Amino acid sequence: MGTGSDVGRRARLAVLPGDGIGSEVTAAAVTVLKAVAARFGHDFVLTEWPIGAIAMRTKGSPLPEDTLAACKDADAILMGAVGDPAYDAAPRDQRPEAGLLGLRKALGAYANIRPARIYKGLEDAGPLKPEIARGLDLIVVRELTGGLYFGTPRSLDLEAGTAVNTLPYSRPEVTRIVEVAFQLARGRRRKVTSVDKSNVLETSQLWRAVATEVGTRYPDVALDHKLVDSCAMNLVLFPASFDVVVTENLFGDILSDEVGALVGSLGLLPSASLGDGPGLFEPVHGSAPALAGRNVANPIGAIATAAMLLENGLGLQEEAAAVRRAIETVLEKGARTADLAPRGTPALGTQEMARAISGAIPVRVTV
Ligand code: IPM
Ligand code: MN
């Protein structure tokens, strides 16, 4: 898509706010997308669809058919969050999470890309000493449609007190996700860390063998293998030493929350879930029921997710860069949401932060 042309891009976006703070941060991201459309002359047609608990309540399914159809038909999908404690005891296929997992699977969105870095001014927002946090700039590439999340057989018998989950991976599944990691590393510091538990799990032995094999096709990129426990520790000790981390579905889920803490707040992290169909763009954080409806959630993760949508979903690099610069500008000026503000200092609400970021998107200069 030509970003340099004067002709605006028309794009159809499916917006899935979901549950809890999902609707608030998605509204914030939409505010920014509308500002981008207005300032760069694009025509974004947005339609909203239910997913998760809200969809269970209104349509009786966490992933209603019309939501899925709209997603498959869209140029890109913006998702908020799913999850609601009211469904904690519900059968798995009726839980809000089943909606999101079903959507990822139906879209073939196997590559979840979760970039994280320390924003200027936020070096001491997290638990690390600033000199250790500084330089954290990495991507977690999480396999998203396989592994423990989807493996069969699976079962739960609460009365008998037995349950089963299965961790399967095949060579093609590992190959394609590790390829994504190597491709990303080529545009960065050329270092891939493949994470597994090969000292215990057969699946991880396959993972490590395939990662090594793929690595031979990328002699210009350094490949390092780490066990997941050691990786979790090294992320805290030497966060700046990581470039691209690639791992299976559940390990990636866990490590990316850890990275969220390291950068100062999980509320900062965006992600793109890419694969066979339209891209699904979702912040890394969850529905945070305790924060919902209070205009206190940090919308930066969702807004940075909108930037990934612009870049990876619509091919609008310049627009994505403008959104990222706007986030940086606002943070450098000292704007903070409650999760980032030091105790006793003033904090912006979700909407106020979104307006500040929209206001910092530069007007495009055309000649
Ligand atoms: C995430 C979330 C989801 C996941 C949940 C909501 C199903 O934690 O995107 O990291 O586990 O993948
Ligand atoms: Mn998660």
Side-chain angles (χ1 to χ4, degrees), residues 82 97 100-101 104 114 142 144 149 253 257 282-284:
V82 295
E97 290 81 0
L100 177 56
L101 299 177
R104 290 171 177 169
R114 300 188 151 181
R142 171 187 175 194
L144 203 59
Y149 273 56
D253 180 48
D257 269 35
E282 34 174 329
V284 173

Side-chain angles (χ1 to χ4, degrees), residues 276-317:
D276 309 329
L280 168 63
F281 298 86
E282 34 174 329
V284 173
H285 64 72
S287 60
L291 304 182
R294 294 166 42 204
N295 192 39
V296 295
N298 187 344
I300 292 179
I303 292 168
T305 295
M308 292 190 87
L309 181 153
L310 290 166
E311 178 160 14
N312 302 104
L314 305 181
L316 299 174
Q317 271 83 9

Side-chain angles (χ1 to χ4, degrees), residues 20-327:
I21 61 168
S23 57
E24 295 163 73
V25 299
T26 304
V30 165
T31 299
V32 172
L33 283 173
K34 285 184 174 162
V36 167
R39 285 169 218 188
F40 288 81
H42 301 306
D43 179 14
F44 296 156
V45 183
L46 297 109
T47 52
E48 254 188 45
W49 304 90
I51 190 170
I54 178 95
M56 265 308 287
R57 289 202 180 91
T58 56
K59 304 272 188 93
S61 158
L63 180 60
E65 268 169 34
D66 51 357
T67 296
L68 178 57
C71 289
K72 285 185 170 165
D73 195 41
D75 293 311
I77 305 147
L78 180 67
M79 215 279 302
V82 295
D84 185 330
Y87 290 89
D88 277 355
R92 199 173 44 81
D93 62 342
Q94 287 166 38
R95 291 183 58 98
E97 290 81 0
L100 177 56
L101 299 177
L103 179 60
R104 290 171 177 169
K105 192 73 171 177
L107 294 170
Y110 63 86
N112 183 218
I113 296 162
R114 300 188 151 181
R117 65 197 167 87
I118 301 275
Y119 285 106
K120 230 196 232 157
L122 293 187
E123 294 84 354
D124 52 12
L128 298 177
K129 296 187 190 92
E131 64 270 25
I132 292 183
R134 201 167 293 125
L136 188 167
D137 180 351
L138 59 83
I139 301 182
V140 175
V141 177
R142 171 187 175 194
E143 201 292 326
L144 203 59
T145 51
L148 268 170
Y149 273 56
F150 295 95
T152 52
R154 63 188 299 162
S155 64
L156 168 63
D157 187 335
L158 277 174
E159 266 158 44
T162 57
V164 175
N165 285 101
T166 306
L167 172 42
Y169 271 108
S170 65
R171 180 184 300 275
E173 277 178 295
V174 181
T175 302
R176 65 182 181 178
I177 191 71
V178 173
E179 291 270 1
V180 169
F182 275 100
Q183 292 290 343
L184 284 169
R186 276 197 168 152
R188 298 172 47 93
R189 304 198 305 280
R190 295 179 182 262
K191 188 175 167 194
V192 169
T193 305
S194 173
V195 177
D196 62 47
K197 187 69 185 174
S198 63
N199 53 343
V200 177
L201 303 175
E202 286 79 358
T203 311
S204 284
Q205 287 179 276
L206 174 71
W207 183 284
R208 191 172 283 220
V210 175
T212 304
E213 216 171 84
V214 173
T216 62
R217 299 200 285 273
Y218 294 84
D220 53 319
V221 178
L223 169 65
D224 169 34
H225 301 278
K226 273 200 167 50
L227 299 173
V228 64
D229 50 350
S230 160
C231 179
M233 180 177 68
N234 278 277
L235 277 168
V236 175
L237 294 174
F238 312 109
S241 70
F242 290 88
D243 182 18
V244 179
V245 175
V246 62
T247 191
E248 73 95 25
N249 204 340
L250 180 66
F251 295 164
D253 180 48
I254 296 169
L255 294 178
S256 53
D257 269 35
E258 181 186 2
V259 170
L262 299 182
V263 299
S265 172
L266 188 55
L268 292 168
L269 296 190
S271 92
S273 304
L274 309 176
D276 309 329
L280 168 63
F281 298 86
E282 34 174 329
V284 173
H285 64 72
S287 60
L291 304 182
R294 294 166 42 204
N295 192 39
V296 295
N298 187 344
I300 292 179
I303 292 168
T305 295
M308 292 190 87
L309 181 153
L310 290 166
E311 178 160 14
N312 302 104
L314 305 181
L316 299 174
Q317 271 83 9
E318 197 186 327
E319 289 78 345
V323 172
R324 292 188 185 115
R325 265 198 312 277
I327 295 172

